[in-house]
């Protein structure tokens, strides 16, 4: 009975000591060689590269991401080399076609504008894309309605920039496209979803589109 008190003290000291050692190991104390406990329960975040791409682009390529508008609520985005060229935050997007012109050699923005294809003047768009110089990259993201004001010349000009879908673009379709002045073939960077009440994601509009990739720098641009 006389040993009960001392034994309790010994047990308590031993328990505290063992607890301290276990905690020290789990928390990665000095020289423990164990990962910290936070790392045991934390999932590593996937690394993101320019414009949020999952992989880096090869040398002499430009990283991009183009996102169309969602219905008439969320505006489109155009990102190039980790720089946001057009977005609602920059306050330079609008209903219709949102277009960024980029120097294909340097990757520098030339000009970015939004063209209202529901109530605007299509001649403003034509004046913008008619005089493009060889090698100019053209980034396009739709928002709400990209096609009501389109005429044959507009569709022809986009087709010459490498578009496969410009000729059939219609009211409230979703469209993202990257082309260039002087291309010989159709662009691999294009997505198009038709406005259809049977498949629309939103009431009156199809789903928003998101496209990313790496574009080779042009060898010449004026």
């Amino acid at each position: 009975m006389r040993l009960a008190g001392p034994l309790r003290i010994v047990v308590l000291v031993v328990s505290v000591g063992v607890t301290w050692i276990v905690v020290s190991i789990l928390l990665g104390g000095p020289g423990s060689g164990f990962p910290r406990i936070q790392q045991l329960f934390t999932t590593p975040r996937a690394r993101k590269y320019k414009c949020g791409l999952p992989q880096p682009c090869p040398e002499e390529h430009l990283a991009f991401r183009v996102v169309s508008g969602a219905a008439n609520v969320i505006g489109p985005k155009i990102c190039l080399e980790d720089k946001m060229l057009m977005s609602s935050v920059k306050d330079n997007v609008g209903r219709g076609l949102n277009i960024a012109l980029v120097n294909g050699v340097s990757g520098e923005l030339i000009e970015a504008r939004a063209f209202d294809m529901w109530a605007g003047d299509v001649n403003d768009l034509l004046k913008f894309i008619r005089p493009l110089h060889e090698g100019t990259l053209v980034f396009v993201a739709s928002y709400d309605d990209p096609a009501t004001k389109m005429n044959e010349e507009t569709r022809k000009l986009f087709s010459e920039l490498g578009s496969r879908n410009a000729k059939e673009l219609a009211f409230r379709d979703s469209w993202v496209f990257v082309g260039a002045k002087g291309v010989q073939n159709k662009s691999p960077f294009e997505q198009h979803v038709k406005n259809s009440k049977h498949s629309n994601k939103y009431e009156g509009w199809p789903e928003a589109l998101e496209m990313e990739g790496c574009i080779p720098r042009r060898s010449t641009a004026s």
Side-chain angles (χ1 to χ4, degrees):
M1 295 297 293
R2 292 180 180 179
L3 295 176
L7 281 175
R8 288 177 182 175
I9 294 174
V10 171
V11 171
L12 178 61
V13 171
V14 172
S15 298
V16 171
V18 171
T19 301
W20 181 85
I21 292 171
V22 171
V23 171
S24 178
I25 290 174
L26 288 176
L27 292 179
S32 68
F34 290 87
R36 293 185 179 277
I37 192 170
Q38 292 91 338
Q39 295 176 347
L40 297 176
F41 300 97
T42 302
T43 302
R45 292 184 179 181
R47 183 176 178 182
K48 294 293 185 179
Y49 297 88
K50 292 179 179 178
C51 291
L53 269 64
Q55 297 180 349
C57 288
E59 290 187 12
E60 298 304 314
H61 283 67
L62 302 171
F64 78 89
R65 181 188 297 272
V66 180
V67 183
S68 71
N72 63 345
V73 179
I74 302 175
K77 297 178 182 179
I78 299 177
C79 175
L80 181 70
E81 286 292 283
D82 234 18
K83 297 179 181 178
M84 195 62 69
L85 305 184
M86 302 189 76
S87 70
S88 296
V89 173
K90 292 182 69 70
D91 196 25
N92 63 348
V93 298
R95 176 176 65 181
L97 294 178
N98 296 268
I99 304 176
L101 305 181
V102 172
N103 184 300
V105 175
S106 67
E108 293 297 319
L109 176 67
I110 299 171
E111 190 174 0
R113 286 185 59 185
F115 298 90
D116 188 341
M117 301 304 291
W118 168 255
D121 187 347
V122 71
N123 288 307
D124 293 336
L125 172 59
L126 290 171
K127 291 175 184 177
F128 190 68
I129 60 176
R130 274 176 186 152
L132 296 183
H133 296 297
E134 193 83 6
T136 301
L137 298 176
V138 182
F139 294 79
V140 184
S142 67
Y143 183 24
D144 188 6
D145 175 26
T148 295
K149 290 286 186 174
M150 269 199 175
N151 56 20
E152 288 303 314
E153 183 181 1
T154 309
R155 297 176 189 277
K156 181 174 181 292
L157 288 172
F158 278 119
S159 296
E160 291 173 352
L161 294 172
S163 172
R164 297 177 184 273
N165 303 123
K167 292 182 178 179
E168 60 187 67
L169 205 63
F171 174 66
R172 284 187 176 175
D173 286 0
S174 287
W175 184 45
V176 288
F177 167 65
V178 181
K181 179 69 173 181
V183 294
Q184 300 301 315
N185 302 308
K186 294 301 181 182
S187 172
F189 303 116
E190 183 173 25
Q191 294 181 20
H192 174 223
V193 176
K194 298 290 290 182
N195 169 25
S196 170
K197 63 181 181 180
H198 301 295
S199 60
N200 282 348
K201 182 175 182 179
Y202 311 104
E203 185 177 351
W205 290 269
E207 64 185 287
L209 295 173
E210 183 171 341
M211 180 174 65
E212 62 186 33
C214 304
I215 303 175
R217 291 183 185 269
R218 306 284 290 182
S219 56
T220 59
S222 303

